């Protein structure tokens, strides 16, 4: 019915995506670049967590839910976590550990 609503949109700026690459990524080229370059405090994170957070974003495994809350697909794809920049309901997050899900949320919010 509404053709406009069915067009794939950038998760960041909500513009309609046209290239197959952008659609697969879920972000337009400008937003993808902004996210990669986002100035995020990485001091509390290890290199492998930073790599995992970037991979999560590029795989489209983290989607905005509302304001600062994101939905994140777990590594094995069986669970969905709710993640904010300083909280996450995955096992590590509930223990107070800074998981890479939170880092990915920070990267997206900083972009
Ligand atoms: Zn965008
Ligand atoms: Zn987490």
């Amino acid at each position: 019915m509404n053709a406009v609503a069915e067009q794939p949109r950038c998760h960041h700026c909500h513009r309609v995506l046209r290239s197959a690459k952008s659609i697969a990524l879920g972000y337009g080229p400008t937003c993808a670049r902004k996210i990669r370059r986002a100035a995020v405090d990485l001091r509390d994170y290890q290199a492998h967590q930073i790599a995992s957070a970037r991979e999560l974003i590029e795989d489209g495994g983290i989607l905005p839910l509302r304001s600062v809350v994101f939905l994140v697909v777990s590594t094995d794809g069986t669970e969905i976590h709710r993640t904010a920049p300083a909280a996450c309901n995955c096992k590590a997050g509930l223990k107070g550990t800074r998981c890479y899900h939170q880092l990915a949320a920070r990267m997206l919010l900083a972009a």
Side-chain angles (χ1 to χ4, degrees):
M1 255 178 7
N2 189 345
V4 175
E6 286 164 19
Q7 283 179 299
R9 284 175 185 270
C10 174
H11 296 308
H12 193 67
C13 68
H14 307 291
R15 274 191 213 143
V16 174
L17 299 173
R18 293 177 198 288
S19 80
K21 199 179 152 208
S22 297
I23 293 165
L25 182 59
Y27 297 93
T30 310
C31 292
R33 199 177 321 124
K34 268 196 226 164
I35 292 163
R36 269 197 298 271
R37 290 180 188 172
V40 176
D41 186 353
L42 298 172
R43 274 176 301 183
D44 296 325
Y45 289 94
Q46 291 168 5
H48 72 92
Q49 292 182 297
I50 296 164
S52 296
R54 295 214 163 110
E55 210 177 297
L56 183 68
I57 294 167
E58 287 180 12
D59 289 349
I62 177 164
L63 294 173
L65 178 63
R66 60 185 143 75
S67 69
V68 299
V69 182
F70 294 83
L71 292 179
V72 177
V73 183
S74 66
T75 322
D76 60 5
T78 60
E79 283 176 274
I80 305 278
H81 307 306
R82 277 170 195 251
T83 308
C88 182
N89 70 352
C90 73
K91 264 186 210 146
L94 289 174
K95 275 192 265 176
T97 307
R98 287 169 189 268
C99 57
Y100 71 87
H101 309 130
Q102 293 169 53
L103 178 59
R106 284 185 207 190
M107 285 174 174
L108 290 175
L109 289 169

